[in-house]
Every structure is written in structure tokens, then in C-alpha cells.
Amino acid sequence: MQEIFNFGFFIISPLFWLGLLHTQYKYRQRVKRERHLYESAINPKNSEMRTFFIAMIVLGIVGSLCSLAVGVEVSYTWIVFYELLAVVALFLPGTTLPFLALFLPMLIVQLFGDKFYTLSFIGKKHMVLQNPLPEGIDFLALLTILLFLQYLFIKFNRKSVNSPVIGKNIRGNRVATYLFDKVSVVPLVLLVPGDLFETTSPFWPVFKIFGVKLSILIVPFLIGLNFRFIGEQPAKIMQRLANAIGWLALAALGITIDAFFWKSPLFEVLAIGCLAVVYCLIMYHFRKVDRKDQNQVEEALDGVRVLAVKPQTPASKMKLEIGDLIQVVNGIHVTDEQSLYRALQTSPTFCRLKIKNRRGDLELKESSIFAGGPHEIGIVTFPSDEK
């Protein structure tokens, strides 16, 4: 019964349900956009929801093992404060908002302490929300864990940027940009000092460690990234971004160890503030790097540009990539979507492609294709008529 009640806190959290609804909305929005632009969805499966639940389970287990190993303690009121900010961040665009929702309440609590966030509720049953002040080292340990989870989330989703949006550059030529917008709500097992509510359920687990009364809560945390890529190499930038966050997590671990020996509230506040600034600078840097990429996925006159590759298709088997330029199909030069499909129909069960890759090298690709369906080769190109 205790385990059911503990898990129930995560399940009834507004952040969990709003994260679920947000993910479903993003999936429907993506499919609708792709069907409007390209007449069919690039990936009709709900990959957003799949990412949501896989990250929730895997990262939740990894993060909870880490938080229990170090015994991270936070107050219940801080959790409520964070949940409110995380819900706001969920519906605002921006690459840094999920983590700013984490940094901000930590800094406020460290600066203002109990005077800022002591609350009490009086009703038929007198309930006092316990507010023992968490130490800054607990916040630093929690930041280290969540930065590590963010690193894993980006690293394992770096190749899923595959939904182009058509726009125009300053020369008026059509170009494709790529939006990565995936989140997950990850459950972490945390320790909460105090009884939480004095007259709540008798099933709430309360125990003592070194004389301090503690409760266990499974708390939802927002993990994810919203990033629009303009350059033609989103997977490489995602990999470099993940590595930078991984190094920041290692730095946070070192700072947490230092804080354990220093035991200085000022050091802890400065450390949290510095980690917040560095995280924002990392996001700003990679956004700037992407903007400086001169090799945009631009419409070409001497071939057909690959905007995306559908999974489990002949194109994916041939390892075609975003930005590849298809110049010859079955010995026929092609310049647009219509000429591409006419050339494919000359050999309805097999195709040979001559492409120029993003490095400018010529490559030959060949594969069998679906009988009677040469249009199902599995590539997305600029539509012949702009929509």
C-alpha cells in the first residue's frame, strides 16, 4: 500500500499529465504539418510518445538510483514551487526554460530560506506543511543528476531530427529547417525531511536516518529540448551539445564534492548560479554555431535535394542522408520531384542513384524498391509546387 501511495504522487502530478498532453499535441501537429507539405507523414508512428515513455522509465530508474545513492533531500514546498514553474516552462518556447525552472527555485530558496516559502493550511483538519530548509549541497547533487539525465536524453535522440519545415533564405530560395521538440517527465525518488502533512494518510512512509525524520516521494522532473536547426547537420550539433552538457554534469559533480567539504552557503549559491549561467551559455553557443552553418539544406537546380529519409524504406537501407543531392536515377538526370519519380518508374523494382553528398563527393547507391510503388522509395524532397 505504501508503494502505491508513493507512486500516486507522481501519477496525480499536473506536470505528468500536461507533459503527456503536450507530447500528444506535438505529435499531431508534426503529422499534420508533414501531410500538408509532403502529402504523407515522414514517420506516422507516434515517436514523440515513444520517446516520452522510454525516457520516463529508463531515465527514471537511472536517476532514482543516483538520488537514493547520495540521499538527495528537498522540501515539499520547494517541489510544489518547481512543479509550477515547470508547467509554465512546458508551454513556452525556448531551449533553456526546462532547466531555468529548476535553477530559479533553488536560488530563491537558498537566498530567502524558510521566510520565503513557509506555508500552512487550516481547514477541517489542521495541516502544517513542514519546511526544513534543504542544504545547497542537496540542490547541487540534484542538478548533477538532472544534467546527466539531460545528456543521456539528447545523446540517444540525436538522430531523430527528421521533420523539415520549408522556408526561404535571404536570397529567396527555399530552404529546410529542422525542429527538435521532445520532452519527458522523469520520476525521481527523493527524500523529504519532515512528516509532509501532519494528519494525512497513515500509509505515508516515514522513517528516520541519523535521528532525522524523512519521507519518500516520487517527484516528476521535466527533461527535454526545443531547438530549431538551420544548418544541414542537426545530428552532429546534437552530439556536440550532448557532450557539452555531459562535461557540465561532470563539473557539477566536482563542485558538489567541493561543497561537501567547504560547507559554505555562499559557495553553494554561487555554484548553483554559475551552473545556470554556463548551461545558458552552452545553449546560446550551439544556437550560434548552427546559425553560422553556411551549408543549409537548400533547393537545388542540378538535382533533387533530400530533406528527410523515412525509416525502414529503401532510402534508409541505402543510407541516404539529409542534404544529399540526387542527380541521376537509373541513368536519367533529374531536377525535381516529378522527374525523379518518372525515372524511378523506368525500373519499378530496382533503382540506381548517383548522388552528391554533403562533402561534395559523388556516390553510387542502389537498392530494390517496393514492387508497383516506386514513389515509396522513402525520401522527402521539396514539393514541386510550393504550399
Side-chain angles (χ1 to χ4, degrees), residues 103 106-107 110 136 139-140 143 268-276:
F103 288 116
M106 287 182 177
L107 288 172
Q110 283 298 107
F139 285 150
L140 287 171
L143 277 176
E268 293 162 357
V269 170
L270 291 176
I272 294 171
C274 287
L275 288 173

Side-chain angles (χ1 to χ4, degrees), residues 21 37 97 99 124 176 198 212 214 234 284 291 316:
L21 292 173
L37 289 172
L97 283 173
F99 263 81
K124 289 184 179 181
E198 288 184 349
V212 178
L214 297 170
Y284 173 76
R291 295 298 185 271
S316 66

